[in-house]
Amino acid sequence: MEPIDWSNLSFGYIKTDYNVRCYFKNDAWGDIETSQSEYINLHMAATSLHYGQEAFEGLKAFRGKDGKIRIFRLEENAARLQSTCRGILMPELPTEKFREAVIKVVKLNERFVPPYESGASLYIRPLLIGTSAQVGVHPATEYLFMIFVTPVGPYFKGGFSTNPYVIIRQFDRSAPLGTGTYKVGGNYAASLRANKMAHDLGYSCEFYLDAKEKKYIDECGAANFFGIKDNTYITPQSTSILPSITNKSLMQLAQDMGMKVERRQIPEEELSTFEEAGACGTAAVISPIQRIDDLENNKSYVISKDGKPGPICTKLYNKLRAIQYGDEADPYGWVTVIE
């Protein structure tokens, strides 16, 4: 392969050597298979294509200073995938099968795990789709689970730096009792117009309020929101937000740093009281928020007065990254080390 410029990778797709696949037929999961093809053979009447019966996950592997590869919180991704399966009536993939597939695909593509201190990581994308042919709106009887990997750079070009967001009221990402808590492609399709609108206005991302009343903070694009004030880490409690594994990890770290943690509704006006705020997720880890503009009401909530990430966001970001790369001890058992 051509040498990869690890330090200048975008958050995009690069072909790697192998992917792994596992089929569900006759009410049972089969063995994990290895493939070199980037394509799947799919019936034109597959439920995933017509009725959106599909789910995916995103997690990362990191190469440490010691040369070892570490995968972050894969059991949490397995559990979230199982939750999605229950939500849209797909067969749950057992945690052990998920674990086996993740470790296998990382080992098979070990040469694509970026070197330590390159700022890059190996992105792992599990995908589960309904494959059986039917025209009626019913769950499929057959499914394909697969995982591919690709080396990626930072999600935002500037890396760990502040970004401006804009509140978009014209669109909802998901409904309060809909599929917002599940990681399904339809949620992301629903965000594309609002995301384009935000980019066209010069912002990094769109910012959603709750779909019911348009009063409370919901999500930042495809990431969870958190705000910091009075030594407290505050993140929205909502029935339409995807539970972020990064957010869950940050809440634990914040608590262990002596901060209070609150999960509750956050009214839009409260944005003006935060000392720091961020969007968090697997792709960006933490993207500190510079300001959030509400163009409709001619308001601007400036969170970072000097335009730089705040001290607590920085501390949380560095701590989480240190655990992911093996630079600091992992007292939580979050990391799976590939032997």
Side-chain angles (χ1 to χ4, degrees), residues 93-259:
L93 187 81
T95 301
E96 272 314 303
K97 184 78 82 175
F98 184 91
R99 180 185 175 85
E100 183 190 343
V102 169
I103 290 172
K104 183 166 189 166
V105 76
V106 171
K107 280 185 171 178
L108 285 168
N109 295 287
E110 193 172 337
R111 70 193 184 103
F112 290 96
V113 182
Y116 179 72
E117 282 190 334
S118 61
S121 55
L122 187 74
Y123 187 73
I124 304 164
R125 169 53 61 85
L127 175 70
L128 175 56
I129 58 173
T131 55
S132 51
Q134 56 199 66
V135 179
V137 185
H138 303 289
T141 56
E142 296 183 356
Y143 295 83
L144 165 63
F145 173 72
M146 65 181 301
I147 309 179
F148 68 82
V149 298
T150 184
V152 294
Y155 189 71
F156 291 110
K157 280 179 186 169
F160 184 67
S161 57
T162 60
N163 289 288
Y165 287 73
V166 62
I167 291 171
I168 301 280
R169 281 188 174 76
Q170 294 94 317
F171 303 105
D172 296 321
R173 180 188 155 273
S174 61
L177 299 177
T179 58
T181 55
Y182 309 127
K183 200 163 175 69
V184 295
N187 295 340
Y188 296 82
S191 74
L192 293 175
R193 263 187 89 180
N195 185 260
K196 183 180 186 306
M197 188 183 285
H199 285 166
D200 289 349
L201 289 167
Y203 295 91
S204 291
C205 225
E206 75 277 22
F207 201 91
Y208 296 100
L209 300 177
D210 74 289
K212 196 173 182 181
E213 298 181 83
K214 297 290 186 193
K215 282 184 183 176
Y216 302 100
I217 302 308
D218 222 49
E219 284 206 309
C220 321
N224 278 192
F225 171 83
F226 68 88
I228 306 281
K229 67 174 179 180
D230 305 326
N231 199 40
T232 306
Y233 182 105
I234 306 164
T235 194
Q237 183 81 46
S238 166
T239 54
S240 61
I241 291 176
L242 182 74
S244 159
I245 294 161
T246 305
N247 196 7
K248 189 175 182 179
S249 307
L250 292 172
M251 282 189 262
Q252 180 70 62
L253 294 179
Q255 207 169 359
D256 292 349
M257 285 175 184
M259 296 178 71

Side-chain angles (χ1 to χ4, degrees), residues 46-103:
T47 58
S48 54
L49 298 178
H50 298 267
Y51 305 124
Q53 222 192 355
E54 72 85 50
F56 68 98
E57 279 297 323
L59 59 160
K60 283 180 175 178
F62 307 86
R63 194 183 295 278
K65 195 186 288 184
D66 55 9
K68 290 181 179 174
I69 297 168
R70 291 166 174 83
I71 304 168
F72 189 66
R73 302 203 79 173
L74 65 83
E75 286 85 1
E76 285 289 333
N77 287 93
R80 190 168 66 180
L81 180 62
Q82 289 156 3
S83 168
T84 299
C85 288
R86 291 190 292 274
I88 62 168
L89 295 184
M90 299 200 292
E92 290 181 44
L93 187 81
T95 301
E96 272 314 303
K97 184 78 82 175
F98 184 91
R99 180 185 175 85
E100 183 190 343
V102 169
I103 290 172

Side-chain angles (χ1 to χ4, degrees), residues 4 8 15 22 40 45 62 142 204 246 248 253 274 280 285 316 336:
I4 295 173
N8 289 304
K15 184 183 187 303
C22 185
I40 52 179
F62 307 86
E142 296 183 356
S204 291
T246 305
K248 189 175 182 179
L253 294 179
F274 287 121
C280 61
V285 186
L316 287 167
T336 299

Side-chain angles (χ1 to χ4, degrees), residues 38-49:
E38 294 174 277
Y39 296 91
I40 52 179
N41 197 11
L42 197 58
H43 195 286
M44 62 184 176
T47 58
S48 54
L49 298 178

